[in-house]
């Protein structure tokens, strides 16, 4: 998965609200030059339409279809939240922001869903102490 890089991984994050977590995931994508501020707004719109929580303590914030023009390059932001953050009554310990050019976001969603469908993988990601551990787990699972 070439779209996740160590500089886009944040360890031991704490958020009081869903909105804070989504804003932080979007900010990482924006700082990396993947998206414009409009995409981050669309990530909040997506959550308002339907929760981006997918289960197994994982949320995948992403923008709406209308915000595709705000994606400048494909990327993934990875936020480790060991104490969890509430996503509509569910606790997310991993908040994985995605932005994809054209239909690449579908491939990203699929790869992340496969990786995170295994609870032991999620636990390893939550317990990881270094960005390199997280990167290695992503690489080994989607290779």
């Amino acid at each position: 998965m070439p779209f996740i890089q160590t500089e886009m991984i944040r360890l031991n994050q704490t958020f009081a609200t869903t909105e804070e977590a989504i804003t932080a995931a979007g900010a990482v994508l924006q700082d990396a030059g993947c998206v414009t501020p409009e995409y981050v707004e669309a990530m909040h719109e997506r959550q308002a339409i339907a929760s981006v929580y997918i289960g197994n303590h994982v949320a995948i914030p992403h923008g709406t279809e209308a915000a595709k023009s705000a994606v400048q390059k494909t990327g993934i932001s990875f936020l480790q939240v060991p104490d969890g953050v509430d996503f509509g009554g569910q606790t997310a310990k991993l908040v994985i922001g995605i932005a994809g050019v054209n239909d690449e976001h579908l491939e990203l969603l699929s790869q992340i869903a496969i990786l995170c469908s295994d609870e032991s993988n999620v636990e390893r990601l939550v317990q990881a102490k270094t960005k390199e551990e997280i990167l290695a787990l992503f690489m080994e699972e989607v290779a």
Side-chain angles (χ1 to χ4, degrees):
M1 187 177 292
F3 305 118
I4 185 168
Q5 297 153 353
T6 52
E7 60 270 17
M8 295 175 74
I9 297 171
R10 303 287 184 272
L11 301 174
N12 298 310
Q13 301 295 292
T14 305
F15 304 106
T17 65
T18 304
E19 291 75 22
E20 279 183 19
I22 291 172
T23 298
V28 172
L29 290 169
Q30 189 178 333
D31 291 348
C34 296
V35 301
T36 66
E38 291 75 25
Y39 188 81
V40 181
E41 290 172 27
M43 292 170 79
H44 287 283
E45 290 170 23
R46 165 71 67 200
Q47 172 65 19
I49 295 165
S51 179
V52 295
Y53 181 84
I54 64 162
N56 275 359
H57 300 290
V58 180
I60 307 178
H62 55 287
T64 59
E65 192 67 29
K68 289 189 81 60
S69 63
V71 177
Q72 296 166 316
K73 66 180 183 180
T74 298
I76 296 174
S77 60
F78 184 97
L79 310 178
Q80 180 196 62
V81 191
D83 294 331
V85 59
D86 179 71
F87 268 79
Q90 303 290 330
T91 302
K93 293 184 177 187
L94 300 176
V95 178
I96 305 171
I98 64 169
V101 173
N102 300 319
D103 288 330
E104 287 179 343
H105 71 284
L106 296 174
E107 182 182 333
L108 295 177
L109 274 170
S110 171
Q111 291 176 341
I112 293 166
I114 290 166
L115 173 67
C116 294
S117 66
D118 183 335
E119 288 183 32
S120 66
N121 287 341
V122 172
E123 191 57 27
R124 286 168 62 193
L125 290 167
V126 171
Q127 298 298 325
K129 300 291 182 229
T130 67
K131 294 177 179 188
E132 290 73 22
E133 278 180 75
I134 289 168
L135 201 57
L137 185 58
F138 264 90
M139 294 307 192
E140 102 189 20
E141 287 301 320
V142 298

